[in-house]
Amino acid sequence: MAATPLYGPQLQGFTYPYPLHHYSFTSQGTPLAMGYMDVAPQGGANGKTAVLLHGKNFCAATWEDTIKALTQQGYRVIAPDQIGFCTSSKPDHYQYSFQQLAANTNALLRSLGIAKAMVVGHSTGGMLATRYALMYPAEVQRLVLVNPIGLEDWKALGVPYRTPDQWYERELKTSAAGIRQYELTTYYVGHWKPAYDRWVDMLAGLNQGPGHKLVAWNSALIYDMIFTQPVVYEFKDLQVPTTLIIGTADTTAIGSDIAPASVKAALGHYDRLGKETVKRIPGGELIEFAGLGHAPQMEEPERFNQTLLRVLDR
């Protein structure tokens, strides 16, 4: 197996599929920069903007196929990397909350003159997209959640708490082999495609590069945010048209690796979670991809993108 390439703390050395920009701002007393792609429509513009929010082990670059499909149909696409992730700043200290990340994203969109957008969130980005729609309902035309995590409250269901220091020790041990094995079993239902190797290298190269301690510390703080700030109780409060797109074979559940066997067995059943969640969302819609895992946009991009366009074009 080839050696993992090493990337800088803001993913320096990794090539994004479209030009990368940076939005500079001050937050919590610290100058920060958010990396993002702003991709213009190819051909005739339809006047609509789609904002794509990445997951915890993903970056804006993993939306590559979806960006291409959306821009070909006239959408302007904004795909940011959140603070603490990928091409964005990794602060020494930051109080991570989904509210803070939503506010950062809103400030980015306002700086680009975008007053309304279709918001699409995958995985952890689904938790963020939900929070964004709760905070800025008048600025969200449509909400699409792709295998969002946080459809259950792991802490309340009995998963033990890890401190940020414990998450940090865990994150320092991240390796390409470990990432690949976790994604193979949890995300891709035992089916690996060579195309996924690039994304393993992206994550492993960032985690093992010269900024690995700062990357691991921010990752630890982000895991603490994910674990302690559930959105599941607020789906009932959504006021925007919402579609859930669920790969039913997904088994993602934060902290399940240290949960008692009886607790672990009850977690991460997306075939059930999608159906339960859509009932909580006023006027919500559920689209299931039977047998697909955590990232249907990467497993079956053509089918996923056709489905997403049908939802957004309404």
Side-chain angles (χ1 to χ4, degrees):
M1 194 174 281
T4 303
L6 299 182
Y7 301 119
Q10 286 178 252
L11 209 50
Q12 293 94 333
F14 184 88
T15 304
Y16 267 41
Y18 297 94
L20 184 68
H21 309 278
H22 280 91
Y23 168 60
S24 297
F25 65 109
T26 298
S27 174
Q28 300 183 20
T30 305
L32 300 172
M34 273 178 86
Y36 69 95
M37 292 176 284
D38 180 356
V39 190
Q42 310 300 309
N46 65 12
K48 296 174 182 174
T49 299
V51 178
L52 308 180
L53 302 178
H54 63 79
K56 170 70 178 71
N57 292 327
F58 301 79
C59 293
T62 61
W63 286 111
E64 181 174 359
D65 288 325
T66 301
I67 294 171
K68 184 178 180 183
L70 291 176
T71 54
Q72 284 177 344
Q73 295 302 315
Y75 285 87
R76 178 184 182 183
V77 177
I78 311 297
D81 282 329
Q82 296 301 321
I83 294 302
F85 294 84
C86 310
T87 64
S88 294
S89 300
K90 315 286 184 303
D92 290 321
H93 303 283
Y94 203 62
Q95 184 163 332
Y96 279 99
S97 68
F98 286 112
Q99 287 90 337
Q100 178 69 73
L101 298 185
N104 297 349
T105 304
N106 187 254
L108 166 66
L109 295 182
R110 285 172 180 259
S111 78
L112 297 173
I114 297 165
K116 274 195 169 228
M118 314 273 195
V119 179
V120 182
H122 168 242
S123 189
T124 297
M127 292 182 81
L128 173 56
T130 302
R131 179 60 59 203
Y132 191 96
L134 289 165
M135 289 173 69
Y136 307 106
E139 297 175 47
V140 178
Q141 289 166 291
R142 186 171 283 281
L143 177 65
V144 181
L145 306 175
V146 184
N147 281 77
I149 62 169
L151 300 183
E152 53 194 347
D153 182 347
W154 310 290
K155 177 164 54 77
L157 293 171
V159 175
Y161 177 73
R162 271 188 179 109
T163 65
D165 294 310
Q166 288 170 323
W167 278 114
Y168 176 63
E169 290 303 320
R170 178 181 180 268
E171 289 302 281
L172 284 175
K173 297 172 187 154
T174 299
S175 68
I179 292 167
R180 193 179 194 277
Q181 187 56 45
Y182 172 76
E183 294 189 355
L184 174 66
T185 52
T186 308
Y187 291 177
Y188 302 120
V189 206
H191 304 293
W192 193 262
K193 293 180 183 176
Y196 303 153
D197 289 328
R198 168 171 155 79
W199 309 121
V200 172
D201 284 347
M202 173 188 73
L203 200 57
L206 177 66
N207 279 281
Q208 295 175 1
H212 71 279
K213 288 186 177 177
L214 200 52
V215 169
W217 178 241
N218 277 266
S219 184
L221 296 179
I222 289 162
Y223 270 123
D224 188 70
M225 168 185 75
I226 293 167
F227 190 76
T228 61
Q229 298 179 28
V231 295
V232 63
Y233 305 110
E234 294 169 83
F235 286 127
K236 64 179 173 35
D237 301 323
L238 285 168
Q239 300 169 38
V240 302
T242 302
T243 300
L244 267 176
I245 299 179
I246 299 290
T248 62
D250 189 4
T251 57
T252 306
I254 302 301
S256 62
D257 57 314
I258 57 168
S262 60
V263 172
K264 182 175 182 175
L267 301 175
H269 295 281
Y270 274 74
D271 53 342
R272 173 173 52 76
L273 288 169
K275 294 179 181 73
E276 290 174 358
T277 302
V278 75
K279 291 175 187 169
R280 299 193 186 108
I281 298 170
E285 173 192 32
L286 173 65
I287 297 171
E288 292 185 319
F289 288 144
L292 292 192
H294 188 58
Q297 77 278 21
M298 293 156 76
E299 280 184 279
E300 290 195 15
E302 196 170 325
R303 181 177 163 203
F304 172 83
N305 293 329
Q306 286 174 350
T307 301
L308 180 62
L309 280 163
R310 275 202 306 274
V311 171
L312 297 184
D313 287 344
R314 282 178 199 150

